[in-house]
Amino acid sequence: MTSWGHPSVADYLPAGVGRCSTLRSWLNQWSVDHSLGDAVRWLPEITCPVWVGAGTADELVVPQMAREMYDAATAAASRTWVEFAGATHYFAGRPDVLAEALDALAAWLDKI
């Protein structure tokens, strides 16, 4: 299951993943066994400031997973953790919380 629904549907949407990716890039994004997109693996090597925002209602990246990402950023020049109450994945159905998150991110960017 993807955040766009079942892959057999998501891949054929007008702007779906299958329309703009190769087999290699699709596997890198979605395959647990083959992906290099592992934040907990790579974040310890990041030395620039890191900002992690977590939605408390996110069913795909649950707050505990986001917290693990934050905790993994051990070499970061600074780390910032922000939780957004009621935020779902991609803030679906919550434009109010999306605006709050964007304001928080913009304020953080102004400080670094």
Side-chain angles (χ1 to χ4, degrees):
M1 189 63 92
T2 73
S3 56
W4 296 285
H6 193 276
S8 64
V9 174
D11 286 345
Y12 292 99
L13 293 172
V17 175
R19 299 251 185 222
C20 58
S21 65
T22 63
L23 177 59
R24 178 178 287 179
S25 66
W26 192 91
L27 283 173
N28 188 53
Q29 182 174 359
W30 298 109
S31 172
V32 172
D33 295 330
H34 298 16
S35 179
L36 296 177
D38 181 348
V40 174
R41 175 182 175 189
W42 298 109
L43 276 165
E45 297 184 26
I46 302 298
T47 57
C48 62
V50 170
W51 185 91
V52 178
T56 62
D58 193 332
E59 295 178 347
L60 296 177
V61 180
V62 297
Q64 179 57 33
M65 291 168 68
R67 187 54 134 167
E68 288 172 8
M69 291 180 219
Y70 173 83
D71 291 342
T74 54
S78 64
R79 296 183 296 174
T80 300
W81 168 260
V82 186
E83 262 186 13
F84 299 101
T88 60
H89 203 70
Y90 298 121
F91 297 84
R94 294 303 307 265
D96 57 324
V97 184
L98 175 59
E100 176 188 341
L102 293 173
D103 287 345
L105 181 56
W108 176 77
L109 287 169
D110 281 344
K111 290 180 188 176
I112 60 167

